[in-house]
Amino acid sequence: MAISLQHVTKTYSSANGPAVDGLSLDIPQGHITTLLGPSGCGKTTTLRLIAGFERPEQGSIAIAGRTMADNQRWVPPEKRGIGMVFQDYALFPHLNVERNTGFGLKGPDLKKKVQSTLDLVGLGNYLKAMPHELSGGQQQRVALARALIRDPLVILFDEPFSNLDTDLREQMRQEVVDILQRAHATAVFVTHDQREALAISDQIVVMKDGRIQQQGSPREIYQYPETAFVASFVGQSNLLPGTMGTDGYVMTALGPIPCHHTHGRETGEPVTLSIRPDSFEMDPDGELEGTILRTVYTGEAIDALVTLGQGSTACNIWVHIHPEEQVRTGTVLRFTVLPHFVAVIRGDA
Ligand code: ATP
């Protein structure tokens, strides 16, 4: 493992409880891992603990098999072999791209190494440019080059794209991922943007209140959320109580719903289902009938709030409808439930 955290706890003030609470996490070599969660969940603290800017009061942190922090050992940030890329890039305004990239380094090969690193990030022709002459995206690539040139064991990114406007952010995300993959680098990103996490990560770690709610590939996190929090924080979800039936069906007030991921629940057990809005397909012969209460047009889809069932079994759900369909408030539709985006959750940790 590139990085291993074991039962790490960090408390800033005892009145507020731990910012990071007994966190154990393995970060594989050559992968992009993203810490994702709402403001205050402990993402930045976790990154700062890995970097050595904070000291855990409990637990241990190892990088490339070497213990960096535990109750006996402490390795300072500059000796950990990590690179960091910050939100504001932190370039020296009075140094050109070449000198920013090679800052603090010496050696006969430095010029060649700076050139090849700037080539890698696509700035091979910008050596003499000053930071103020560069776009936000180019400045970020200089910051990345400055981290990469040191051959770090891991590069840590704290909300690196949040200062860029939407179009550039999406382009930079892809460019940075491509550069990291070409360099076979190990990277840890912090973000509160679930779309960003889904787009760039090999592994996503969803955090809440200083603890891990779930970790897995983007597909696992989106398709098979394990807690109500993950289901609602990463994308939209409809949460529905039910009882485990047979053959992968869950019995609910809306009738039997086919479910792809049952977490090994036994027949008869009470469960909560997470049903993504994409699981409902308009179908004139579908088993569910509902009336549209509200629609939100997003361009990619129509997000429709639909009331299903009658009387005491009535419930409102979010459904994604193809954007070309002509639907509005009051339209009555029939749906089939596809099992792909239906999962039993194990409760809220
Ligand atoms: P954000 O996305 O807002 O940066 P985060 O998930 O990165 O949030 P942290 O910055 O790690 O969360 O903060 C976790 C908790 O620790 C919060 O309650 C925060 O107020 C508290 N905290 C963070 N840094 C300090 C500090 N230096 N002193 C005291 N409390 C702190």
Side-chain angles (χ1 to χ4, degrees):
M1 283 297 152
I3 304 175
S4 179
L5 280 75
Q6 295 292 326
H7 312 294
V8 170
T9 296
K10 168 73 193 170
T11 309
Y12 293 106
S13 98
S14 49
N16 294 336
V20 168
D21 190 3
L23 191 115
S24 295
L25 172 65
D26 284 329
I27 292 174
Q29 183 100 37
H31 281 60
I32 296 177
T33 296
T34 301
L35 307 178
L36 171 68
S39 182
C41 73
K43 313 177 291 288
T44 301
T45 302
T46 305
L47 205 72
R48 291 174 62 81
L49 284 159
I50 295 169
F53 300 141
E54 303 291 349
R55 218 173 169 141
E57 70 251 21
Q58 266 174 46
S60 65
I61 298 170
I63 300 179
R66 249 184 86 212
T67 301
M68 298 289 163
D70 63 11
N71 54 7
Q72 285 154 9
R73 205 180 311 229
W74 173 252
V75 178
E78 66 277 10
K79 301 229 168 91
R80 292 194 178 193
I82 49 152
M84 283 211 73
V85 177
F86 298 95
Q87 208 173 81
D88 58 1
Y89 323 131
L91 300 181
F92 299 109
H94 59 293
L95 299 183
N96 66 21
V97 167
E98 182 180 21
R99 293 183 61 205
N100 257 293
T101 306
F103 186 80
L105 299 176
K106 293 199 179 82
D109 288 341
L110 182 60
K111 223 173 165 53
K112 243 168 76 189
K113 213 168 166 195
V114 167
Q115 181 70 57
S116 66
T117 312
L118 286 171
D119 285 342
L120 179 70
V121 301
L123 290 177
N125 294 327
Y126 286 80
L127 269 71
K128 301 301 170 203
M130 299 302 285
H132 72 266
E133 296 171 318
L134 302 176
S135 69
Q138 288 169 329
Q139 290 183 45
Q140 185 161 59
R141 280 188 265 160
V142 179
L144 182 53
R146 198 174 51 185
L148 283 168
I149 198 170
R150 288 165 169 76
D151 293 325
L153 298 166
V154 55
I155 307 183
L156 309 179
F157 293 83
D158 193 355
E159 301 266 8
F161 307 115
S162 55
N163 280 346
L164 304 173
D165 60 37
T166 315
D167 280 354
L168 186 57
R169 187 183 310 179
E170 281 179 18
Q171 186 194 328
M172 275 313 293
R173 262 183 214 161
Q174 209 41 59
E175 282 187 22
V176 168
V177 168
D178 289 347
I179 293 166
L180 291 173
Q181 283 171 347
R182 278 204 298 273
H184 304 292
T186 306
V188 183
F189 284 78
V190 158
T191 184
H192 60 265
D193 179 342
Q194 42 107 4
R195 287 173 76 97
E196 185 162 295
L198 291 170
I200 65 173
S201 314
D202 295 305
Q203 173 182 236
I204 297 177
V205 179
V206 185
M207 294 179 65
K208 181 186 173 221
D209 299 335
R211 296 184 185 187
I212 295 175
Q213 286 266 317
Q214 187 176 351
Q215 73 189 87
S217 67
R219 185 183 289 266
E220 283 164 344
I221 297 283
Y222 186 80
Q223 210 162 347
Y224 307 128
E226 288 181 357
T227 70
F229 175 79
V230 174
S232 312
F233 188 75
V234 186
Q236 269 178 317
S237 193
N238 300 290
L239 298 173
L240 215 62
T243 307
M244 202 60 226
T246 50
D247 300 330
Y249 277 82
V250 173
M251 315 314 283
T252 73
L254 303 176
I257 303 272
C259 174
H260 232 210
H261 205 60
T262 60
H263 279 297
R265 294 305 181 87
E266 306 278 334
T267 306
E269 266 193 75
V271 295
T272 302
L273 268 189
S274 160
I275 312 177
R276 297 289 189 195
D278 310 285
S279 292
F280 297 95
E281 190 175 67
M282 274 171 58
D283 173 1
D285 301 321
E287 60 275 21
L288 298 178
E289 186 180 86
T291 307
I292 293 187
L293 294 178
R294 190 171 357 135
T295 58
V296 181
Y297 178 73
T298 65
E300 294 157 348
I302 298 166
D303 287 3
L305 185 64
V306 176
T307 184
L308 296 172
Q310 308 234 318
S312 61
T313 64
C315 71
N316 295 345
I317 54 160
W318 284 101
V319 172
H320 286 172
I321 295 175
H322 193 277
E324 288 204 340
E325 295 288 346
Q326 298 295 330
V327 293
R328 59 182 129 96
T329 303
T331 305
V332 176
L333 297 169
R334 295 196 80 86
F335 299 97
T336 295
V337 184
L338 306 172
H340 310 85
F341 293 108
V342 182
V344 165
I345 60 172
R346 65 170 159 74
D348 215 1

